[in-house]
Amino acid sequence: MAAITIAKVRYAVVGLGHIAQVAVLPAFAHAARNSALAALVSNDPEKLRKLSRRYGVKLTYSYEQYDDCLRSGHVDAVYIALPNNMHAEYSIRAANAGVHILCGKTDGRHRTGMPVNDRAARKNKVKLMIAYRSISKGNLKAIEIVKSGKLGEPRVFTRFLDCRSKRETSAPKANGWRNTL
């Protein structure tokens, strides 16, 4: 019986801030069977240099070169690890180039209520995965109930919690997505 060969999905990670460095990039070591880290995109030359060396990535691009990255033929999908307000734009550009998208929470909505990056993915027949549960039916219903006022005035509590060793006790700084290294 012949062995089945599964092609690896070649990813570009767009944005090299905190979440990319502590979660996304290291995760590729556990996904080597079906995924390959093919390119990095950032406007920080130091991060591009250090992280491309650390992870053995030959292709690096600035944000201005993002469309070149998408058209290069070297990536099948992008992981958008940018600030939330940039997700829709970079997802739509990937979809329009025929590149699949893995993205954090979506932000831009069309008048229909459908995320604009979802509309672009459907139009261009590419896959879009939102790596956040806010679009699940249960969460959407909860949001609807809160917005209706049935529960009264909502209150928000936040807490920073992570799993750092004793040597790494400092929390990320403000704009943490830009820090780390």
Side-chain angles (χ1 to χ4, degrees):
M1 180 179 285
I4 297 172
T5 304
I6 299 174
K8 291 185 178 189
V9 177
R10 301 167 300 165
Y11 283 89
V13 174
V14 184
L16 299 178
H18 181 75
I19 194 69
Q21 290 182 51
V22 301
V24 177
L25 294 170
F28 277 95
H30 305 289
R33 187 176 61 85
N34 60 8
S35 301
L37 183 54
L40 301 175
V41 181
S42 175
N43 267 358
D44 186 325
E46 180 184 3
K47 286 181 182 179
L48 285 171
R49 182 178 51 77
K50 287 182 177 181
L51 294 172
S52 65
R53 188 178 311 137
R54 183 181 300 168
Y55 291 99
V57 178
K58 292 181 173 59
L59 302 172
T60 62
Y61 300 88
S62 67
Y63 294 140
E64 291 77 22
Q65 298 169 319
Y66 179 59
D67 294 311
D68 296 334
C69 172
L70 297 172
R71 289 189 303 264
S72 71
H74 296 293
V75 298
D76 305 305
V78 292
Y79 188 108
I80 307 293
L82 293 166
N84 295 346
N85 67 333
M86 298 171 75
H87 288 182
E89 175 195 345
Y90 279 78
S91 295
I92 291 167
R93 288 166 66 185
N96 289 340
V99 174
H100 303 288
I101 307 141
L102 179 57
C103 184
K105 4 181 204 314
T106 187
D107 66 336
R109 291 198 176 263
H110 185 265
R111 61 178 157 40
T112 63
M114 181 184 292
V116 293
N117 49 359
D118 187 41
R119 290 172 50 88
R122 288 174 191 234
K123 175 184 170 192
N124 292 287
K125 296 180 174 50
V126 297
K127 302 288 186 198
L128 167 67
M129 180 179 158
I130 303 296
Y132 191 73
R133 296 172 12 144
S134 68
I135 63 170
S136 70
K137 288 181 181 178
N139 284 342
L140 291 174
K141 182 66 176 173
I143 291 167
E144 179 184 320
I145 291 168
V146 170
K147 285 183 175 180
S148 75
K150 291 178 184 176
L151 299 177
E153 185 69 27
R155 295 181 185 184
V156 177
F157 298 87
T158 62
R159 172 79 173 117
F160 179 80
L161 178 66
D162 71 3
C163 302
R164 294 173 190 239
S165 69
K166 288 184 179 182
R167 293 184 322 206
E168 303 173 295
T169 56
S170 63
K173 297 172 181 64
N175 293 329
W177 68 273
R178 294 183 184 187
N179 300 326
T180 314
L181 258 186

